[in-house]
């Protein structure tokens, strides 16, 4: 008889949304308070880059994943949740400690560096989730609507336009985060020893 202590197989990845989807929706909804914290000056970040990041997540989670049950079973949902939580775990720990005046060099460096490889991967995974959802939005007609005067909104077209905007937003956010990283980590010139 074989005992398995840890199994991370196909079923666990497919069931990710069913296991933690409600918690993810709750946490992402609460993360919108971060925008209020920035506006009130509690957090010293810039509003537009955080707004873009949070908007990406809200649209992907609530509009793309939650509205299409078939997308909820895709592997990309598990990948997105891992990436989002990894970034948030470090970023919110760093932010919380910064607000109360505690600073750790390693945590500062990790907070200012971890996003560099992970954020573009997040955007690629978000784009892939949209790409995988398109056939379902097309066949079910979710969010597509007819307007008066022979006008209509075909939601898959809206998602395709959003895909382009996603990468433009990524470029802006990445540029901003990189300049913020440079300011926070301020590379000091090394002093040469006199011989």
């Amino acid at each position: 008889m074989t005992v398995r202590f840890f199994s991370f197989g196909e079923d666990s990845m497919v069931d990710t949304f069913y296991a933690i989807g409600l918690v993810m929706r709750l946490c992402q909804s609460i993360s919108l308070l971060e925008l209020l914290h920035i506006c009130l000056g509690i957090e010293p970040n810039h509003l537009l880059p955080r707004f873009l990041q949070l908007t990406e997540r809200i649209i992907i989670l609530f509009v793309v994943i939650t509205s299409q049950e078939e997308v909820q079973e895709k592997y990309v949902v598990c990948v997105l949740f891992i990436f989002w939580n990894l970034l948030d775990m470090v970023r919110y720990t760093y932010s919380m400690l910064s607000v109360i005046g505690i600073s750790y060099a390693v945590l500062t460096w990790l907070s200012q560096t971890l996003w560099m490889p992970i954020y573009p991967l997040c955007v690629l995974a978000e784009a892939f989730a949209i790409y995988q959802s398109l056939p379902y939005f097309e066949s079910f007609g979710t969010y597509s609507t007819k307007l008066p005067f022979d006008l209509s909104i075909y939601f898959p077209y809206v998602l395709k336009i959003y895909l382009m905007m996603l990468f433009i937003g990524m470029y802006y956010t990445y540029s901003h985060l990189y300049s913020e990283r440079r300011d926070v980590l301020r590379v000091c010139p090394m002093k040469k020893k006199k011989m």
Side-chain angles (χ1 to χ4, degrees):
M1 186 171 134
T2 308
V3 178
R4 284 187 172 175
F5 291 103
F6 180 71
S7 174
F8 192 71
E10 187 175 322
D11 290 340
S12 61
M13 289 186 79
V14 168
D15 291 338
T16 300
F17 187 81
Y18 300 108
I20 62 169
L22 178 62
V23 173
M24 286 300 292
R25 289 188 303 249
L26 179 65
C27 289
Q28 292 305 317
S29 296
I30 291 172
S31 73
L32 291 172
L33 288 174
E34 190 173 348
L35 300 175
L36 180 63
H37 294 167
I38 293 169
C39 289
L40 294 175
I42 297 170
E43 222 178 299
N45 289 328
H46 289 81
L47 183 63
L48 186 59
R50 274 315 291 148
F51 175 77
L52 291 174
Q53 285 180 311
L54 292 174
T55 303
E56 285 173 17
R57 290 184 182 190
I58 295 295
I59 289 173
I60 297 301
L61 183 59
F62 287 95
V63 176
V64 175
I65 297 171
T66 302
S67 70
Q68 297 297 328
E69 198 168 319
E70 294 77 11
V71 176
Q72 297 168 9
E73 300 171 354
K74 303 290 185 187
Y75 292 112
V76 72
V77 173
C78 181
V79 171
L80 273 172
F81 286 2
I82 289 170
F83 284 157
W84 288 348
N85 287 315
L86 182 62
L87 286 173
D88 285 349
M89 186 174 55
V90 172
R91 189 170 54 80
Y92 286 130
T93 303
Y94 170 76
S95 294
M96 179 187 68
L97 291 175
S98 294
V99 165
I100 59 174
I102 298 173
S103 177
Y104 294 105
V106 172
L107 186 59
T108 300
W109 180 85
L110 192 59
S111 173
Q112 297 298 322
T113 306
L114 182 65
W115 63 266
M116 293 175 80
I118 303 291
Y119 182 62
L121 292 173
C122 281
V123 173
L124 286 174
E126 291 167 359
F128 190 67
I130 291 172
Y131 175 76
Q132 286 190 319
S133 73
L134 286 173
Y136 305 110
F137 281 105
E138 289 171 355
S139 63
F140 298 132
T142 310
Y143 302 127
S144 294
T145 185
K146 287 198 174 258
L147 299 172
F149 309 112
D150 293 332
L151 295 174
S152 63
I153 296 174
Y154 186 59
F155 196 69
Y157 289 156
V158 173
L159 283 178
K160 289 174 185 177
I161 292 169
Y162 179 71
L163 265 175
M164 291 183 288
M165 292 172 45
L166 187 65
F167 288 104
I168 293 168
M170 181 191 82
Y171 174 76
Y172 173 79
T173 302
Y174 197 92
S175 299
H176 172 76
L177 289 174
Y178 188 78
S179 68
E180 182 180 282
R181 177 184 188 272
R182 190 178 57 237
D183 293 343
V184 170
L185 297 181
R186 294 208 197 266
V187 180
C188 298
M190 295 185 63
K191 295 180 180 178
K192 294 182 181 179
K193 290 184 179 180
K194 292 182 182 180
M195 293 188 176

